[in-house]
Amino acid sequence: MEENAQPLFTFGVIADIQYADIEDGFNFLQTRKRYYRNSISLLNSATEKWNAEPVQPSFILQLGDIIDGFNNPRKASEKALETVVNGFNKCKAKAHHAWGNHEFYNFSRTYLMDSVLNSKHLESTSEFQSAKHVEENNPEPSYSYHFSPAPNFRFVLLDAYDISIIGRGEPSRKYYQSLKYLQEHNKNTNLNFPPEPTGMKQRFVEFNGGFSREQLDWLNKVLTFADNNQEKVTVMCHLPIYPASTSPICLAWNYEEALSVLHSHQCVVCFMAGHDHDGGYCVDECGIHHLTFEGVIETPPDSNAFGTMYVYEDRMILKGNGRVKDRILLYPSF
Ligand SMILES: Nc1ccn([C@@H]2O[C@H](COP(=O)(O)OP(=O)(O)OC[C@H](O)CO)[C@@H](O)[C@H]2O)c(=O)n1
């Protein structure tokens, strides 16, 4: 690739802002400082940087946990959301919002569906009429969609709390199905407490979730369409799905099922997630890049945690800021 080659398009990525107008605190294990109030300043620095980019980002990916659960008991959820959305509105590019556990600590799924955090109106439909969302007649659909910002490139946003006990309310089929599934894997009374202190089974906790069969079948259809049209696909959601890209306590419950869908297609080049605030990265056995973005909430005020991705025919180049490292992501076929 020529030096200074123009990208086909660029986009911004940011994760786990977890804004709350409260004093700094710590994570549950008291091992990591959380800068609740300052996270809005870091978002503002990110939007300023994106607005000043010579090639304007086509969109921003916000990977979930936009505000912190501590807003809820303070009855500050809507105010906090307004503050963060105002931050995003300063950005010239529109944001695609994934939903994480903290969205559900603050809001019901019904509320989220009608809120500014539902970015499904940015979905691409025209070129993909044959695969309207397969869950159209499902009384409990997932929040998932796809879009194509440029020819031969597609992005799929998944709902990692489709099967979960925080993202599904009582009484509902998915809630009871999720509770049964979680209790089969975790015998603790407090389901936020992992069933085992180490290893992959740690992921069976209440603050995680997974993907329904219906959602994975829909994903399979989108990826088949992308394969047939020689597209390059990036998939994203709040929870990581590849063990080497994250601490195991942050993995989606049924990450293996999601991986098996991705691995049955040639089009997937990258998977992006948040949730593990320490971040992570690896390339899997099929050449898919798994990027877990460092969380803004655990980023000191003199640093930051966001990225700008430059997309080319044969690679994506991540320019990281603060805790997010620069990376070159060659597509599997190159
Ligand atoms: N061992 C634990 C961990 C957490 N909790 C409770 O679960 C809720 C969510 O935890 P929180 O740390 O806020 O979740 P994040 O999404 O910010 O971070 C993800 C993982 O924690 C990373 O490891 C909260 O109510 C905690 O108190 C728990 O009970 N036991």
mmCIF file of all heavy atoms in Angstrom, residues 125-168:
data_model
loop_
_atom_site.group_PDB
_atom_site.id
_atom_site.type_symbol
_atom_site.label_atom_id
_atom_site.label_comp_id
_atom_site.label_asym_id
_atom_site.label_seq_id
_atom_site.Cartn_x
_atom_site.Cartn_y
_atom_site.Cartn_z
ATOM 1 N N THR A 125 -31.306 -1.080 4.129
ATOM 2 C CA THR A 125 -32.332 -2.054 3.746
ATOM 3 C C THR A 125 -32.396 -2.257 2.240
ATOM 4 O O THR A 125 -32.614 -3.363 1.778
ATOM 5 C CB THR A 125 -33.730 -1.602 4.225
ATOM 6 O OG1 THR A 125 -33.891 -0.249 3.843
ATOM 7 C CG2 THR A 125 -33.893 -1.771 5.700
ATOM 8 N N SER A 126 -32.158 -1.212 1.473
ATOM 9 C CA SER A 126 -32.454 -1.271 0.034
ATOM 10 C C SER A 126 -31.792 -2.442 -0.675
ATOM 11 O O SER A 126 -32.425 -3.126 -1.462
ATOM 12 C CB SER A 126 -32.050 0.032 -0.629
ATOM 13 O OG SER A 126 -30.701 0.291 -0.352
ATOM 14 N N GLU A 127 -30.512 -2.714 -0.386
ATOM 15 C CA GLU A 127 -29.806 -3.758 -1.126
ATOM 16 C C GLU A 127 -30.065 -5.146 -0.535
ATOM 17 O O GLU A 127 -29.521 -6.119 -0.984
ATOM 18 C CB GLU A 127 -28.303 -3.463 -1.185
ATOM 19 C CG GLU A 127 -27.508 -3.725 0.075
ATOM 20 C CD GLU A 127 -27.604 -2.615 1.108
ATOM 21 O OE1 GLU A 127 -28.616 -1.884 1.133
ATOM 22 O OE2 GLU A 127 -26.676 -2.490 1.914
ATOM 23 N N PHE A 128 -30.897 -5.220 0.474
ATOM 24 C CA PHE A 128 -31.020 -6.487 1.174
ATOM 25 C C PHE A 128 -32.471 -6.775 1.536
ATOM 26 O O PHE A 128 -32.776 -7.253 2.600
ATOM 27 C CB PHE A 128 -30.147 -6.422 2.433
ATOM 28 C CG PHE A 128 -29.841 -7.762 3.035
ATOM 29 C CD1 PHE A 128 -29.828 -8.913 2.277
ATOM 30 C CD2 PHE A 128 -29.569 -7.864 4.389
ATOM 31 C CE1 PHE A 128 -29.547 -10.142 2.846
ATOM 32 C CE2 PHE A 128 -29.276 -9.079 4.973
ATOM 33 C CZ PHE A 128 -29.272 -10.224 4.188
ATOM 34 N N GLN A 129 -33.361 -6.481 0.578
ATOM 35 C CA GLN A 129 -34.798 -6.629 0.855
ATOM 36 C C GLN A 129 -35.171 -8.070 1.162
ATOM 37 O O GLN A 129 -36.076 -8.335 1.932
ATOM 38 C CB GLN A 129 -35.619 -6.144 -0.341
ATOM 39 C CG GLN A 129 -35.566 -4.645 -0.551
ATOM 40 C CD GLN A 129 -36.172 -3.850 0.591
ATOM 41 O OE1 GLN A 129 -36.651 -4.413 1.566
ATOM 42 N NE2 GLN A 129 -36.109 -2.538 0.504
ATOM 43 N N SER A 130 -34.458 -9.015 0.531
ATOM 44 C CA SER A 130 -34.840 -10.414 0.670
ATOM 45 C C SER A 130 -34.655 -10.935 2.093
ATOM 46 O O SER A 130 -35.237 -11.938 2.459
ATOM 47 C CB SER A 130 -34.030 -11.270 -0.285
ATOM 48 O OG SER A 130 -32.671 -11.107 0.017
ATOM 49 N N ALA A 131 -33.843 -10.284 2.856
ATOM 50 C CA ALA A 131 -33.644 -10.746 4.234
ATOM 51 C C ALA A 131 -34.058 -9.663 5.210
ATOM 52 O O ALA A 131 -33.280 -9.187 5.999
ATOM 53 C CB ALA A 131 -32.197 -11.140 4.461
ATOM 54 N N LYS A 132 -35.312 -9.283 5.118
ATOM 55 C CA LYS A 132 -35.877 -8.399 6.143
ATOM 56 C C LYS A 132 -35.613 -9.086 7.466
ATOM 57 O O LYS A 132 -35.468 -10.307 7.503
ATOM 58 C CB LYS A 132 -37.387 -8.298 5.935
ATOM 59 C CG LYS A 132 -37.794 -7.339 4.867
ATOM 60 C CD LYS A 132 -39.288 -7.394 4.776
ATOM 61 C CE LYS A 132 -39.839 -6.160 4.151
ATOM 62 N NZ LYS A 132 -41.293 -6.228 4.155
ATOM 63 N N HIS A 133 -35.652 -8.336 8.529
ATOM 64 C CA HIS A 133 -35.281 -8.958 9.794
ATOM 65 C C HIS A 133 -36.146 -10.194 10.044
ATOM 66 O O HIS A 133 -37.363 -10.121 10.034
ATOM 67 C CB HIS A 133 -35.418 -7.956 10.943
ATOM 68 C CG HIS A 133 -34.436 -8.253 12.015
ATOM 69 N ND1 HIS A 133 -34.500 -9.412 12.743
ATOM 70 C CD2 HIS A 133 -33.358 -7.584 12.438
ATOM 71 C CE1 HIS A 133 -33.496 -9.421 13.602
ATOM 72 N NE2 HIS A 133 -32.776 -8.325 13.441
ATOM 73 N N VAL A 134 -35.478 -11.357 10.218
ATOM 74 C CA VAL A 134 -36.225 -12.611 10.357
ATOM 75 C C VAL A 134 -37.062 -12.625 11.626
ATOM 76 O O VAL A 134 -37.906 -13.481 11.813
ATOM 77 C CB VAL A 134 -35.300 -13.847 10.400
ATOM 78 C CG1 VAL A 134 -34.686 -14.103 9.055
ATOM 79 C CG2 VAL A 134 -34.264 -13.709 11.486
ATOM 80 N N GLU A 135 -36.796 -11.663 12.513
ATOM 81 C CA GLU A 135 -37.508 -11.672 13.798
ATOM 82 C C GLU A 135 -38.727 -10.763 13.769
ATOM 83 O O GLU A 135 -39.276 -10.441 14.809
ATOM 84 C CB GLU A 135 -36.556 -11.234 14.896
ATOM 85 C CG GLU A 135 -35.406 -12.194 15.079
ATOM 86 C CD GLU A 135 -34.675 -11.895 16.354
ATOM 87 O OE1 GLU A 135 -35.229 -12.232 17.408
ATOM 88 O OE2 GLU A 135 -33.585 -11.328 16.293
ATOM 89 N N GLU A 136 -39.127 -10.339 12.558
ATOM 90 C CA GLU A 136 -40.238 -9.390 12.448
ATOM 91 C C GLU A 136 -41.479 -9.800 13.234
ATOM 92 O O GLU A 136 -42.139 -8.973 13.821
ATOM 93 C CB GLU A 136 -40.609 -9.208 10.986
ATOM 94 C CG GLU A 136 -39.984 -7.970 10.419
ATOM 95 C CD GLU A 136 -40.374 -7.725 8.993
ATOM 96 O OE1 GLU A 136 -41.075 -8.568 8.417
ATOM 97 O OE2 GLU A 136 -39.957 -6.696 8.472
ATOM 98 N N ASN A 137 -41.773 -11.105 13.244
ATOM 99 C CA ASN A 137 -42.983 -11.564 13.940
ATOM 100 C C ASN A 137 -42.687 -12.090 15.344
ATOM 101 O O ASN A 137 -43.536 -12.700 15.969
ATOM 102 C CB ASN A 137 -43.674 -12.652 13.116
ATOM 103 C CG ASN A 137 -44.113 -12.090 11.778
ATOM 104 O OD1 ASN A 137 -44.578 -10.952 11.720
ATOM 105 N ND2 ASN A 137 -43.928 -12.857 10.723
ATOM 106 N N ASN A 138 -41.460 -11.873 15.802
ATOM 107 C CA ASN A 138 -41.062 -12.344 17.129
ATOM 108 C C ASN A 138 -41.540 -11.326 18.174
ATOM 109 O O ASN A 138 -41.202 -10.145 18.079
ATOM 110 C CB ASN A 138 -39.531 -12.472 17.148
ATOM 111 C CG ASN A 138 -39.022 -13.098 18.419
ATOM 112 O OD1 ASN A 138 -39.689 -13.067 19.446
ATOM 113 N ND2 ASN A 138 -37.833 -13.665 18.350
ATOM 114 N N PRO A 139 -42.311 -11.752 19.199
ATOM 115 C CA PRO A 139 -42.758 -10.787 20.206
ATOM 116 C C PRO A 139 -41.611 -10.222 21.043
ATOM 117 O O PRO A 139 -41.763 -9.178 21.677
ATOM 118 C CB PRO A 139 -43.712 -11.619 21.082
ATOM 119 C CG PRO A 139 -43.371 -13.041 20.812
ATOM 120 C CD PRO A 139 -42.816 -13.111 19.423
ATOM 121 N N GLU A 140 -40.465 -10.921 21.046
ATOM 122 C CA GLU A 140 -39.309 -10.428 21.802
ATOM 123 C C GLU A 140 -38.087 -10.354 20.863
ATOM 124 O O GLU A 140 -37.134 -11.129 21.007
ATOM 125 C CB GLU A 140 -38.995 -11.360 22.962
ATOM 126 C CG GLU A 140 -40.091 -11.421 24.000
ATOM 127 C CD GLU A 140 -39.731 -12.403 25.096
ATOM 128 O OE1 GLU A 140 -39.061 -11.983 26.050
ATOM 129 O OE2 GLU A 140 -40.081 -13.586 24.970
ATOM 130 N N PRO A 141 -38.120 -9.429 19.906
ATOM 131 C CA PRO A 141 -37.023 -9.382 18.936
ATOM 132 C C PRO A 141 -35.733 -8.884 19.574
ATOM 133 O O PRO A 141 -35.743 -8.229 20.613
ATOM 134 C CB PRO A 141 -37.518 -8.388 17.886
ATOM 135 C CG PRO A 141 -38.467 -7.517 18.628
ATOM 136 C CD PRO A 141 -39.096 -8.365 19.700
ATOM 137 N N SER A 142 -34.625 -9.206 18.940
ATOM 138 C CA SER A 142 -33.343 -8.652 19.400
ATOM 139 C C SER A 142 -33.185 -7.253 18.811
ATOM 140 O O SER A 142 -33.878 -6.877 17.856
ATOM 141 C CB SER A 142 -32.200 -9.545 18.927
ATOM 142 O OG SER A 142 -32.161 -9.572 17.514
ATOM 143 N N TYR A 143 -32.273 -6.503 19.389
ATOM 144 C CA TYR A 143 -31.892 -5.196 18.832
ATOM 145 C C TYR A 143 -30.641 -5.441 17.988
ATOM 146 O O TYR A 143 -29.524 -5.484 18.522
ATOM 147 C CB TYR A 143 -31.635 -4.213 19.979
ATOM 148 C CG TYR A 143 -30.933 -2.936 19.569
ATOM 149 C CD1 TYR A 143 -31.531 -2.041 18.692
ATOM 150 C CD2 TYR A 143 -29.664 -2.628 20.067
ATOM 151 C CE1 TYR A 143 -30.883 -0.876 18.319
ATOM 152 C CE2 TYR A 143 -29.021 -1.459 19.707
ATOM 153 C CZ TYR A 143 -29.631 -0.593 18.830
ATOM 154 O OH TYR A 143 -28.988 0.566 18.451
ATOM 155 N N SER A 144 -30.850 -5.710 16.714
ATOM 156 C CA SER A 144 -29.702 -6.013 15.846
ATOM 157 C C SER A 144 -30.012 -5.539 14.437
ATOM 158 O O SER A 144 -31.175 -5.590 14.013
ATOM 159 C CB SER A 144 -29.427 -7.521 15.855
ATOM 160 O OG SER A 144 -30.627 -8.236 15.652
ATOM 161 N N TYR A 145 -29.022 -5.072 13.742
ATOM 162 C CA TYR A 145 -29.204 -4.606 12.370
ATOM 163 C C TYR A 145 -27.842 -4.540 11.687
ATOM 164 O O TYR A 145 -26.801 -4.740 12.325
ATOM 165 C CB TYR A 145 -29.915 -3.249 12.330
ATOM 166 C CG TYR A 145 -29.153 -2.084 12.929
ATOM 167 C CD1 TYR A 145 -28.290 -1.297 12.150
ATOM 168 C CD2 TYR A 145 -29.282 -1.763 14.278
ATOM 169 C CE1 TYR A 145 -27.606 -0.213 12.693
ATOM 170 C CE2 TYR A 145 -28.598 -0.685 14.825
ATOM 171 C CZ TYR A 145 -27.756 0.087 14.030
ATOM 172 O OH TYR A 145 -27.073 1.140 14.580
ATOM 173 N N HIS A 146 -27.880 -4.243 10.398
ATOM 174 C CA HIS A 146 -26.618 -4.133 9.650
ATOM 175 C C HIS A 146 -26.681 -2.916 8.743
ATOM 176 O O HIS A 146 -27.779 -2.419 8.426
ATOM 177 C CB HIS A 146 -26.367 -5.406 8.836
ATOM 178 C CG HIS A 146 -27.440 -5.686 7.845
ATOM 179 N ND1 HIS A 146 -27.357 -5.333 6.523
ATOM 180 C CD2 HIS A 146 -28.661 -6.254 7.996
ATOM 181 C CE1 HIS A 146 -28.452 -5.689 5.895
ATOM 182 N NE2 HIS A 146 -29.276 -6.249 6.772
ATOM 183 N N PHE A 147 -25.519 -2.437 8.348
ATOM 184 C CA PHE A 147 -25.484 -1.301 7.420
ATOM 185 C C PHE A 147 -24.220 -1.380 6.574
ATOM 186 O O PHE A 147 -23.229 -1.999 6.965
ATOM 187 C CB PHE A 147 -25.568 0.044 8.168
ATOM 188 C CG PHE A 147 -24.435 0.307 9.125
ATOM 189 C CD1 PHE A 147 -23.346 1.092 8.754
ATOM 190 C CD2 PHE A 147 -24.456 -0.230 10.411
ATOM 191 C CE1 PHE A 147 -22.307 1.336 9.639
ATOM 192 C CE2 PHE A 147 -23.420 0.010 11.297
ATOM 193 C CZ PHE A 147 -22.346 0.788 10.914
ATOM 194 N N SER A 148 -24.334 -0.751 5.418
ATOM 195 C CA SER A 148 -23.213 -0.769 4.476
ATOM 196 C C SER A 148 -22.807 0.672 4.178
ATOM 197 O O SER A 148 -23.474 1.362 3.408
ATOM 198 C CB SER A 148 -23.669 -1.491 3.193
ATOM 199 O OG SER A 148 -22.672 -1.362 2.212
ATOM 200 N N PRO A 149 -21.722 1.149 4.794
ATOM 201 C CA PRO A 149 -21.343 2.556 4.620
ATOM 202 C C PRO A 149 -20.638 2.836 3.299
ATOM 203 O O PRO A 149 -20.486 4.000 2.907
ATOM 204 C CB PRO A 149 -20.365 2.789 5.787
ATOM 205 C CG PRO A 149 -19.770 1.450 6.041
ATOM 206 C CD PRO A 149 -20.820 0.444 5.718
ATOM 207 N N ALA A 150 -20.200 1.777 2.620
ATOM 208 C CA ALA A 150 -19.492 1.928 1.338
ATOM 209 C C ALA A 150 -19.632 0.605 0.595
ATOM 210 O O ALA A 150 -19.794 -0.443 1.235
ATOM 211 C CB ALA A 150 -18.010 2.232 1.596
ATOM 212 N N PRO A 151 -19.574 0.628 -0.740
ATOM 213 C CA PRO A 151 -19.701 -0.623 -1.486
ATOM 214 C C PRO A 151 -18.702 -1.665 -0.985
ATOM 215 O O PRO A 151 -17.536 -1.332 -0.698
ATOM 216 C CB PRO A 151 -19.393 -0.208 -2.935
ATOM 217 C CG PRO A 151 -19.716 1.242 -2.979
ATOM 218 C CD PRO A 151 -19.403 1.796 -1.616
ATOM 219 N N ASN A 152 -19.156 -2.897 -0.839
ATOM 220 C CA ASN A 152 -18.325 -4.042 -0.425
ATOM 221 C C ASN A 152 -17.930 -4.061 1.056
ATOM 222 O O ASN A 152 -17.065 -4.858 1.457
ATOM 223 C CB ASN A 152 -17.048 -4.157 -1.273
ATOM 224 C CG ASN A 152 -17.378 -4.217 -2.749
ATOM 225 O OD1 ASN A 152 -18.378 -4.822 -3.126
ATOM 226 N ND2 ASN A 152 -16.569 -3.568 -3.566
ATOM 227 N N PHE A 153 -18.523 -3.200 1.844
ATOM 228 C CA PHE A 153 -18.256 -3.217 3.298
ATOM 229 C C PHE A 153 -19.581 -3.214 4.049
ATOM 230 O O PHE A 153 -20.504 -2.481 3.693
ATOM 231 C CB PHE A 153 -17.419 -2.009 3.727
ATOM 232 C CG PHE A 153 -15.998 -2.112 3.265
ATOM 233 C CD1 PHE A 153 -15.625 -1.625 2.018
ATOM 234 C CD2 PHE A 153 -15.041 -2.731 4.058
ATOM 235 C CE1 PHE A 153 -14.315 -1.754 1.566
ATOM 236 C CE2 PHE A 153 -13.733 -2.861 3.616
ATOM 237 C CZ PHE A 153 -13.372 -2.370 2.368
ATOM 238 N N ARG A 154 -19.665 -4.070 5.072
ATOM 239 C CA ARG A 154 -20.888 -4.149 5.862
ATOM 240 C C ARG A 154 -20.525 -4.252 7.348
ATOM 241 O O ARG A 154 -19.493 -4.833 7.712
ATOM 242 C CB ARG A 154 -21.718 -5.375 5.431
ATOM 243 C CG ARG A 154 -23.129 -5.426 6.024
ATOM 244 C CD ARG A 154 -23.999 -6.453 5.315
ATOM 245 N NE ARG A 154 -24.122 -6.153 3.893
ATOM 246 C CZ ARG A 154 -24.984 -5.285 3.368
ATOM 247 N NH1 ARG A 154 -25.840 -4.649 4.151
ATOM 248 N NH2 ARG A 154 -25.017 -5.057 2.067
ATOM 249 N N PHE A 155 -21.371 -3.680 8.160
ATOM 250 C CA PHE A 155 -21.212 -3.720 9.617
ATOM 251 C C PHE A 155 -22.481 -4.309 10.209
ATOM 252 O O PHE A 155 -23.587 -3.938 9.791
ATOM 253 C CB PHE A 155 -20.966 -2.306 10.172
ATOM 254 C CG PHE A 155 -19.608 -1.782 9.789
ATOM 255 C CD1 PHE A 155 -19.359 -1.375 8.492
ATOM 256 C CD2 PHE A 155 -18.575 -1.734 10.706
ATOM 257 C CE1 PHE A 155 -18.095 -0.931 8.110
ATOM 258 C CE2 PHE A 155 -17.312 -1.294 10.347
ATOM 259 C CZ PHE A 155 -17.072 -0.892 9.040
ATOM 260 N N VAL A 156 -22.308 -5.226 11.158
ATOM 261 C CA VAL A 156 -23.469 -5.862 11.791
ATOM 262 C C VAL A 156 -23.416 -5.586 13.287
ATOM 263 O O VAL A 156 -22.402 -5.881 13.944
ATOM 264 C CB VAL A 156 -23.479 -7.397 11.568
ATOM 265 C CG1 VAL A 156 -24.775 -8.003 12.124
ATOM 266 C CG2 VAL A 156 -23.330 -7.742 10.093
ATOM 267 N N LEU A 157 -24.480 -4.994 13.804
ATOM 268 C CA LEU A 157 -24.564 -4.726 15.240
ATOM 269 C C LEU A 157 -25.425 -5.819 15.878
ATOM 270 O O LEU A 157 -26.555 -6.041 15.450
ATOM 271 C CB LEU A 157 -25.173 -3.341 15.455
ATOM 272 C CG LEU A 157 -25.215 -2.841 16.889
ATOM 273 C CD1 LEU A 157 -24.992 -1.333 16.914
ATOM 274 C CD2 LEU A 157 -26.538 -3.153 17.568
ATOM 275 N N LEU A 158 -24.864 -6.508 16.871
ATOM 276 C CA LEU A 158 -25.576 -7.607 17.540
ATOM 277 C C LEU A 158 -26.031 -7.199 18.934
ATOM 278 O O LEU A 158 -25.466 -6.290 19.557
ATOM 279 C CB LEU A 158 -24.662 -8.835 17.658
ATOM 280 C CG LEU A 158 -24.248 -9.537 16.361
ATOM 281 C CD1 LEU A 158 -23.386 -10.748 16.691
ATOM 282 C CD2 LEU A 158 -25.450 -9.936 15.523
ATOM 283 N N ASP A 159 -27.007 -7.954 19.417
ATOM 284 C CA ASP A 159 -27.591 -7.740 20.739
ATOM 285 C C ASP A 159 -27.091 -8.853 21.664
ATOM 286 O O ASP A 159 -27.584 -9.984 21.611
ATOM 287 C CB ASP A 159 -29.112 -7.800 20.570
ATOM 288 C CG ASP A 159 -29.875 -7.513 21.852
ATOM 289 O OD1 ASP A 159 -29.267 -7.573 22.928
ATOM 290 O OD2 ASP A 159 -31.090 -7.255 21.754
ATOM 291 N N ALA A 160 -26.115 -8.540 22.512
ATOM 292 C CA ALA A 160 -25.512 -9.564 23.380
ATOM 293 C C ALA A 160 -26.330 -9.790 24.654
ATOM 294 O O ALA A 160 -25.972 -10.629 25.478
ATOM 295 C CB ALA A 160 -24.095 -9.170 23.747
ATOM 296 N N TYR A 161 -27.426 -9.042 24.815
ATOM 297 C CA TYR A 161 -28.311 -9.239 25.982
ATOM 298 C C TYR A 161 -29.705 -9.697 25.533
ATOM 299 O O TYR A 161 -30.686 -9.535 26.256
ATOM 300 C CB TYR A 161 -28.376 -7.956 26.828
ATOM 301 C CG TYR A 161 -27.062 -7.736 27.539
ATOM 302 C CD1 TYR A 161 -26.015 -7.073 26.896
ATOM 303 C CD2 TYR A 161 -26.828 -8.264 28.803
ATOM 304 C CE1 TYR A 161 -24.778 -6.920 27.510
ATOM 305 C CE2 TYR A 161 -25.603 -8.111 29.429
ATOM 306 C CZ TYR A 161 -24.584 -7.440 28.776
ATOM 307 O OH TYR A 161 -23.364 -7.305 29.397
ATOM 308 N N ASP A 162 -29.739 -10.286 24.318
ATOM 309 C CA ASP A 162 -30.977 -10.854 23.780
ATOM 310 C C ASP A 162 -31.435 -11.970 24.722
ATOM 311 O O ASP A 162 -32.605 -12.061 25.094
ATOM 312 C CB ASP A 162 -30.619 -11.388 22.380
ATOM 313 C CG ASP A 162 -31.774 -11.985 21.634
ATOM 314 O OD1 ASP A 162 -32.912 -11.846 22.094
ATOM 315 O OD2 ASP A 162 -31.520 -12.589 20.571
ATOM 316 N N ILE A 163 -30.496 -12.815 25.129
ATOM 317 C CA ILE A 163 -30.743 -13.844 26.139
ATOM 318 C C ILE A 163 -30.024 -13.357 27.407
ATOM 319 O O ILE A 163 -28.792 -13.334 27.454
ATOM 320 C CB ILE A 163 -30.136 -15.197 25.678
ATOM 321 C CG1 ILE A 163 -30.837 -15.699 24.415
ATOM 322 C CG2 ILE A 163 -30.192 -16.245 26.776
ATOM 323 C CD1 ILE A 163 -32.281 -16.058 24.593
ATOM 324 N N SER A 164 -30.768 -12.881 28.360
ATOM 325 C CA SER A 164 -30.152 -12.398 29.610
ATOM 326 C C SER A 164 -31.266 -12.137 30.608
ATOM 327 O O SER A 164 -32.438 -12.075 30.224
ATOM 328 C CB SER A 164 -29.372 -11.097 29.375
ATOM 329 O OG SER A 164 -30.270 -10.033 29.165
ATOM 330 N N ILE A 165 -30.890 -11.985 31.879
ATOM 331 C CA ILE A 165 -31.951 -11.685 32.849
ATOM 332 C C ILE A 165 -32.000 -10.199 33.188
ATOM 333 O O ILE A 165 -32.892 -9.760 33.908
ATOM 334 C CB ILE A 165 -31.869 -12.565 34.116
ATOM 335 C CG1 ILE A 165 -30.579 -12.330 34.890
ATOM 336 C CG2 ILE A 165 -32.025 -14.034 33.758
ATOM 337 C CD1 ILE A 165 -30.616 -12.969 36.274
ATOM 338 N N ILE A 166 -31.027 -9.429 32.659
ATOM 339 C CA ILE A 166 -31.146 -7.976 32.857
ATOM 340 C C ILE A 166 -31.762 -7.304 31.618
ATOM 341 O O ILE A 166 -32.416 -6.288 31.728
ATOM 342 C CB ILE A 166 -29.798 -7.309 33.219
ATOM 343 C CG1 ILE A 166 -28.688 -7.701 32.241
ATOM 344 C CG2 ILE A 166 -29.393 -7.655 34.631
ATOM 345 C CD1 ILE A 166 -27.393 -6.951 32.456
ATOM 346 N N GLY A 167 -31.545 -7.909 30.450
ATOM 347 C CA GLY A 167 -32.061 -7.315 29.203
ATOM 348 C C GLY A 167 -33.455 -7.793 28.852
ATOM 349 O O GLY A 167 -34.033 -7.345 27.869
ATOM 350 N N ARG A 168 -33.983 -8.703 29.644
ATOM 351 C CA ARG A 168 -35.331 -9.214 29.412
ATOM 352 C C ARG A 168 -36.102 -9.129 30.714
ATOM 353 O O ARG A 168 -35.605 -9.588 31.761
ATOM 354 C CB ARG A 168 -35.281 -10.682 28.964
ATOM 355 C CG ARG A 168 -34.630 -10.881 27.613
ATOM 356 C CD ARG A 168 -35.498 -10.353 26.500
ATOM 357 N NE ARG A 168 -34.800 -10.319 25.226
ATOM 358 C CZ ARG A 168 -35.293 -9.740 24.140
ATOM 359 N NH1 ARG A 168 -36.451 -9.124 24.185
ATOM 360 N NH2 ARG A 168 -34.606 -9.721 23.019
#
